[in-house]
Amino acid sequence: MLRAVYPGSFDPVTYGHYDIILRSCKIVDELIVGVLNNKAKMPLFSVEERVKMLKEVTKDLPNVRIEPFDGLLVDFATRVNADVVIRGLRAITDFEYELQMSQTNHKLAPNVETIFLTTSIEYSYLSSTTVREIAAFGGDLSQFVPEAVAAELRKKMNTKRRV
């Protein structure tokens, strides 16, 4: 059985992320979407909120599992018995960083391979940062994130405006 991890912060999950999830779950027997709890960053959504949104978005994909993690990706991959790490690439600038990370991960865990999937062209410009900015100004999110995520973003932004 081929098990893969698709890690990220998913703050929030976008159609670009979902595209990689859909394509990955066709390649592997089980896809574990690892939601990173990065203590160095100040995310808009808590890890629990991000996990909840991803579970909603992927509820119709039977071979996808959502799990939070912190620490090293290779430690998480080893803990869940994953053979592969899947990373999405939007642009050449992503490749430089991802190549360095995959080579480092291979040194730390030679038994875990990295597969790069290029994001579909219609999502190549899309990032969670861009989505958060659009949401902050009340823009239309429908072409960037699933409706369940858009609803959570609107709620979060309304709460932030009141504070």
Side-chain angles (χ1 to χ4, degrees):
M1 178 162 103
L2 184 60
R3 180 176 292 135
V5 169
Y6 174 43
S9 57
F10 306 104
D11 188 37
V13 59
T14 68
Y15 279 135
H17 295 127
Y18 187 67
D19 172 60
I20 297 294
I21 291 168
L22 274 178
R23 291 167 49 215
S24 298
C25 74
K26 292 175 186 172
I27 297 169
V28 300
D29 298 305
E30 183 179 25
L31 179 67
I32 300 168
V33 178
V35 182
L36 178 61
N37 182 16
N38 186 344
K39 292 170 177 55
K41 289 186 177 181
M42 293 296 299
L44 179 62
F45 292 100
S46 70
V47 170
E48 295 78 18
E49 290 170 320
R50 289 179 273 150
V51 165
K52 181 182 172 203
M53 284 187 283
L54 276 158
K55 283 183 177 180
E56 175 62 26
V57 168
T58 61
K59 68 184 177 196
D60 296 327
L61 304 173
N63 65 331
V64 175
R65 188 168 94 210
I66 314 299
E67 285 195 28
F69 79 100
D70 55 18
L72 294 175
L73 169 59
V74 290
D75 291 343
F76 176 64
T78 301
R79 189 169 68 250
V80 298
N81 297 313
D83 310 291
V84 173
V85 170
I86 295 178
R87 298 297 293 161
L89 298 175
R90 291 173 296 185
I92 194 70
T93 51
D94 287 348
F95 179 74
E96 291 179 42
Y97 171 77
E98 294 295 343
L99 177 64
Q100 182 181 20
M101 292 308 301
S102 72
Q103 290 170 334
T104 302
N105 288 340
H106 191 71
K107 280 292 215 189
L108 293 170
N111 58 322
V112 178
E113 294 294 339
T114 300
I115 294 176
F116 297 113
L117 291 180
T118 56
T119 305
S120 294
I121 193 83
E122 64 264 34
Y123 306 118
S124 62
Y125 64 91
L126 189 56
S127 71
S128 293
T129 303
T130 302
V131 168
R132 288 192 306 269
E133 189 169 331
I134 293 166
F137 291 101
D140 178 13
L141 298 166
S142 61
Q143 55 192 319
F144 308 115
V145 297
E147 179 50 40
V149 175
E152 292 299 320
L153 271 163
R154 286 189 293 269
K155 245 193 315 190
K156 184 69 77 171
M157 292 305 172
N158 286 337
T159 301
K160 285 183 74 127
R161 284 186 200 107
R162 281 181 283 199
V163 172

